[in-house]
Amino acid sequence: MTPTSTDCPARIQIAAVPVSGASTEWSGQVGGAVSTTTFVRVETSQGLVGHGATASYSSGCADLSQLEAARVLGSGLLRDETLEPAALLRMSHEMPLTPQYGALSALDIALWDVLGQRAGMPLYQLLGGVDRPMRGYASMPFLGSAENYLQSIDELRRAGYTAFKLHTWCEYGKDVELVKDVSEALAGTGLALMLDVEQSYSRVEAARMARILDTYEWRWFEAPLPDTDVEGYASLRQRCLTPVLNSGNRVIDPRGVMAGARSSAWDAVRFDTTVAGGITAARSLSAIARMFDLPVELQSWGHSLIEAANLHAALGFTTSEFFEIAVPRDPYELGVSSPIRIDGAGQVRANQRAGLGVSLDWDAVEQAAVVHHILT
């Protein structure tokens, strides 16, 4: 997987694009934020083109921090004339301050996309994985009433989905009523249900909700406590049957994941490949999960490039049954001609083209961008 000496990065393009038409309300306590996708395009001297992306959120205007951090890291790659992900990681470690993880992720994924294309195989295969279907679950935005959730679930069921994650008010009392209403309305349907409350409960509230989820046999309970409350998670797991996961947003470095796994804090390790440091980081974090015999449940909210990177990582490093898909899909398919979609059985499969397998119209990305850079 080491690039030949005759190939090196010739041009790197970076663009920050606010997501248009997507609901960024993932709890009743969070108003609509501006969602920004930062895209990276790496063109090599031999004509290969790799892509990567990361998502970030801000208030009032687009987040340009990932773009500027990617510009610094990308300039380093051009100076060193290297396409090696390991060199990119080393470069980030040598910086006086830790770079934005998202920027590192997008560049790392673009380099792995190039490596897959050079090898002539899908990225998951290059990572040692095998092709298999995964059950796509609809990760729903905050919808404001039980009636709205049930109506949306009904529409998504007809589209093929068989699993659903609810983002809620993140207020214990309101959430309890929603869980009971949805559970009773869908009893006997065989649908898989997950609850994500965005790190908003106290330990007492989390324990009470877990017992309710036990009663209705929900598939998992996500982010009941702050990610950093490792002790609280470990205690909660001892008091319920429903699998408990953290959010995967704040404990993403190897030391933090190792500490949580060692403390038996979670029923699975959770992170987003496009936020935690890319394919290189996903390999390391998944190895930690295997050390403790834990599954990995990847987060995957955002553009088709974000989905593709996480899907290849899931096939390459995990045995997970489920794969997260943000709904509705249209806002996250800018410039993509063959997006990842569920089939009639509610499953997703990776594209079999070399690398990530995503064809991206970069002109469309640049036209939608608020800022874009070209590094040569």
Side-chain angles (χ1 to χ4, degrees), residues 117-271:
Q117 292 174 51
R118 177 180 290 116
M121 62 180 67
L123 183 52
Y124 73 81
Q125 189 176 350
L126 183 67
L127 300 174
V130 296
D131 184 28
R132 60 183 175 88
M134 297 186 70
R135 189 177 178 185
Y137 69 88
S139 194
M140 306 165 67
F142 173 65
L143 295 177
S145 73
E147 292 76 13
N148 290 342
Y149 284 98
L150 289 169
Q151 179 181 345
S152 181
I153 288 172
D154 185 58
E155 293 170 355
L156 291 164
R157 284 179 68 184
R158 285 187 266 117
Y161 286 96
T162 62
F164 306 87
K165 185 169 77 177
L166 277 60
H167 292 91
T168 67
W169 284 271
C170 299
E171 297 177 29
Y172 174 75
K174 292 182 178 180
D175 292 349
V176 166
E177 294 305 313
L178 175 64
V179 166
K180 290 180 177 179
D181 289 344
V182 170
S183 298
E184 291 166 7
L186 299 178
T189 60
L191 300 177
L193 297 172
M194 301 90 158
L195 180 66
D196 184 349
V197 296
E198 298 294 341
Q199 308 179 66
S200 62
Y201 286 1
S202 68
R203 291 185 181 184
V204 171
E205 291 170 336
R208 289 174 177 171
M209 178 61 83
R211 287 193 289 271
I212 295 170
L213 298 180
D214 287 349
T215 300
Y216 292 112
E217 298 183 341
W218 281 50
R219 180 61 183 81
W220 73 58
F221 188 13
E222 184 175 324
L225 303 171
D227 278 3
T228 52
D229 187 5
V230 172
E231 180 181 303
Y233 273 101
S235 175
L236 177 63
R237 283 192 64 220
Q238 295 174 1
R239 303 168 68 180
C240 66
L241 299 175
T242 303
V244 176
L245 282 61
N246 67 338
S247 78
N249 291 318
R250 296 184 181 176
V251 179
I252 55 177
D253 63 285
R255 289 184 180 180
V257 172
M258 178 75 79
R262 183 179 290 118
S263 300
S264 299
W266 321 300
D267 284 282
V269 170
R270 184 164 175 80
F271 60 90

Side-chain angles (χ1 to χ4, degrees), residues 269-292:
V269 170
R270 184 164 175 80
F271 60 90
D272 184 331
T273 299
T274 68
V275 173
I279 299 295
T280 303
R283 182 165 58 179
S284 298
L285 298 179
S286 298
I288 293 172
R290 287 194 298 274
M291 287 174 56
F292 294 91

Side-chain angles (χ1 to χ4, degrees), residues 49-173:
V49 175
H51 292 104
T54 189
S56 57
Y57 302 88
S58 54
S59 177
C61 60
D63 174 23
L64 303 183
S65 64
Q66 305 291 345
L67 176 136
E68 295 302 330
R71 179 164 64 165
V72 173
L73 289 168
S75 297
L77 286 175
L78 289 169
R79 283 196 304 271
D80 290 356
E81 298 186 337
T82 180
L83 290 165
E84 296 186 40
L88 174 65
L89 182 61
R90 183 173 61 251
M91 189 186 309
S92 71
H93 287 166
E94 292 172 351
M95 296 178 69
L97 296 175
T98 302
Q100 295 279 0
Y101 274 98
L104 175 62
S105 302
L107 277 164
D108 178 90
I109 290 163
L111 297 184
W112 279 100
D113 190 11
V114 168
L115 292 180
Q117 292 174 51
R118 177 180 290 116
M121 62 180 67
L123 183 52
Y124 73 81
Q125 189 176 350
L126 183 67
L127 300 174
V130 296
D131 184 28
R132 60 183 175 88
M134 297 186 70
R135 189 177 178 185
Y137 69 88
S139 194
M140 306 165 67
F142 173 65
L143 295 177
S145 73
E147 292 76 13
N148 290 342
Y149 284 98
L150 289 169
Q151 179 181 345
S152 181
I153 288 172
D154 185 58
E155 293 170 355
L156 291 164
R157 284 179 68 184
R158 285 187 266 117
Y161 286 96
T162 62
F164 306 87
K165 185 169 77 177
L166 277 60
H167 292 91
T168 67
W169 284 271
C170 299
E171 297 177 29
Y172 174 75

